[in-house]
Amino acid sequence: MSRTLVPDPRGNNENNENKREHGSAMQRKQHISEKPLRQAFRRAAVSADAADARSGGAPGLRDAPVQPAVRSPQTRWRTLHQRAVSAMATAPKVIDSHLHVWSAAWPSGFASAPPDSLGDDVSSAEALLAAMDASGVDKSLIVQPSVYAFDHSYVLDCMGKHPDRLAVMLLADPTKEPEEACDFLRTLHGKGCCGVRFNPYLWPEGQQIDNPTGVEMYKVAGELGMPVGVMAFKGLKPLAEPLRHLAAEAPATPLIIDHWGFFRDDPASPPAAQAVDEEAFELLLALAQDIPQLYVKISALFRVSGTGGPQYDDLRPRFQRLVDVLGSRRLMYGSDFPFVQLHEGQYGASVEAVRAWVSELDPEDAARILGGTAAELFNM
């Protein structure tokens, strides 16, 4: 006795041609994750139905040839799915320009232990990729975490396993003599690193990032095509003159300021408990005007927002000021994963907040901030 198949309203019967079309469409877009696809599908349905209501056509098929108004659920679902996939394929690429990963399972172990709340289920490369997929983030730049000090083996392994999605910014070692410190950069550049991080608090006591070792590393980084990112975790003011010196010594080296320049009175404390340091924020804008090769990461929103997630509304006016001064070509989004996972809204909220802000800009400007600037700087 033959078995009768009851039509699935989405066309999912195992012998249905629509299912094969659905599968091939998904194969053409490897990194479309389930959540962003659902969101795109809903937008396609709303847009199609609104247009059909105006035109009198069949729901979801306003561009199709004139046919009877009654459409099967299978046809409608297939059409909207194709529109959703097409919309996501042409959407701006999103690149997370600032994050860290680590794993307790890595054989070399930690130089310093990470917080207990950031275990492998939160902080590993696998956890990162899952968060990226859930939020529609295409690629990410791993910044070498301090928990490994100058041992880059874990982050290089992550990049090697996922070269189409992950890149690495190395951590400079300012404790070495200039020649040895620069050789360290060259070695890691040869292994695929595309940027250099200066952590000012690793410099010998009493010395600044523009000491002889710092200047030589900064020059060599530029010669190798690697931008230099600076961590201003204890405030931007003490770093202003060293930054001007470095920029003058090697004008061709791109200079990046992390996390909005940390414009809080005490950047190491929760932002809601501290006042905004307006002088520090104005200093960031002044440096951007004086140094044409200076870039700013719109990253770690939770570290500088007084209102917090998921909207981070207090940062929107400051974001607009940065756009006005630097333009979209010198701004880039970043999450500061995994630390963002400890805050309301987690990874997805930071992405969505910046998406909301850039939606008010010209599409080309939005695309640069979401990923274009980072793609160009880091050759991603």
Side-chain angles (χ1 to χ4, degrees):
M1 180 176 179
S2 63
R3 180 166 60 96
T4 300
L5 291 176
V6 178
D8 186 315
R10 299 172 300 172
N12 279 340
N13 290 322
E14 60 185 33
N15 64 341
N16 194 306
E17 180 65 24
N18 295 343
K19 182 176 181 179
R20 288 194 291 270
E21 293 177 13
H22 173 204
S24 63
M26 290 300 289
Q27 290 171 0
R28 288 193 296 269
K29 182 61 178 173
Q30 294 180 351
H31 295 310
I32 291 180
S33 61
E34 182 180 357
K35 180 179 176 182
L37 181 57
R38 289 199 305 268
Q39 295 170 342
F41 186 96
R42 286 196 295 268
R43 288 193 293 269
V46 170
S47 175
D49 288 348
D52 290 326
R54 292 192 298 270
S55 65
L61 294 172
R62 65 182 185 278
D63 297 326
V66 176
Q67 295 183 12
V70 178
R71 280 289 149 209
S72 69
Q74 297 98 320
T75 303
R76 172 176 169 74
W77 184 89
R78 182 173 69 250
T79 302
L80 293 179
H81 181 274
Q82 290 169 346
R83 288 182 179 180
V85 171
S86 177
M88 289 197 65
T90 59
K93 298 296 182 185
V94 179
I95 296 178
D96 185 342
S97 71
H98 194 103
L99 57 96
H100 314 279
V101 291
W102 56 77
S103 172
W106 190 246
S108 65
F110 297 126
S112 58
D116 292 339
S117 55
L118 293 175
D120 283 19
D121 59 327
V122 181
S123 61
S124 66
E126 292 73 22
L128 166 66
L129 290 166
M132 290 167 59
D133 287 342
S135 299
V137 174
D138 298 277
K139 299 182 180 183
S140 287
L141 178 69
I142 300 172
V143 178
Q144 167 71 358
S146 60
V147 297
Y148 288 126
F150 305 111
D151 175 5
H152 291 69
S153 58
Y154 178 67
V155 295
L156 290 173
D157 181 74
C158 295
M159 179 177 65
K161 290 177 178 176
H162 306 280
D164 58 331
R165 305 201 71 188
L166 303 178
V168 170
M169 171 179 271
L170 68 90
L171 178 63
D173 185 353
T175 64
K176 302 178 182 294
E177 292 299 315
E179 183 176 353
E180 187 180 2
C182 292
D183 284 343
F184 184 66
L185 302 192
R186 294 186 183 98
T187 297
L188 287 171
H189 175 260
K191 294 182 178 181
C193 292
C194 59
V196 178
R197 189 181 210 196
F198 276 17
N199 181 341
Y201 319 110
L202 298 177
W203 257 252
E205 186 175 357
Q207 298 188 38
Q208 288 275 18
I209 57 174
D210 63 337
N211 71 350
T213 296
V215 169
E216 288 306 308
M217 288 194 297
Y218 191 80
K219 290 179 178 178
V220 168
E223 292 167 0
L224 295 172
M226 295 195 293
V228 173
V230 177
M231 172 185 180
F233 199 62
K234 296 180 181 179
L236 187 60
K237 293 177 184 177
L239 298 172
E241 291 312 309
L243 290 172
R244 293 183 192 277
H245 181 202
L246 289 175
E249 287 288 333
T253 304
L255 173 62
I256 304 170
I257 305 299
D258 297 344
H259 307 338
W260 310 67
F262 287 103
F263 56 82
R264 291 282 171 175
D265 281 342
D266 180 12
S269 299
Q274 40 178 307
V276 170
D277 186 345
E278 293 292 355
E279 289 185 5
F281 189 71
E282 294 300 324
L283 175 60
L284 176 65
L285 299 177
L287 287 170
Q289 291 174 316
D290 295 342
I291 304 173
Q293 69 270 32
L294 185 144
Y295 297 73
V296 175
K297 287 184 179 179
I298 307 300
S299 53
L301 278 59
F302 63 91
R303 293 193 186 276
V304 291
S305 171
T307 59
Q311 284 81 28
Y312 300 102
D313 290 330
D314 61 323
L315 295 180
R316 185 186 289 259
R318 296 185 186 277
F319 168 76
Q320 188 57 56
R321 288 201 67 193
L322 287 170
V323 173
D324 292 341
V325 173
L326 286 88
S328 62
R329 293 183 182 277
R330 293 198 283 156
L331 298 173
M332 67 195 89
Y333 160 73
S335 69
D336 202 18
F337 177 97
F339 301 101
V340 68
Q341 300 296 63
L342 302 180
H343 298 266
E344 186 175 356
Q346 301 185 326
Y347 190 88
S350 70
V351 182
E352 290 306 313
V354 177
R355 279 193 177 114
W357 300 343
V358 302
S359 68
E360 300 176 0
L361 304 178
D362 178 274
E364 290 187 3
D365 291 327
R368 291 189 190 103
I369 293 170
L370 287 174
T373 298
E376 182 178 338
L377 269 183
F378 300 108
N379 195 28
M380 296 174 70

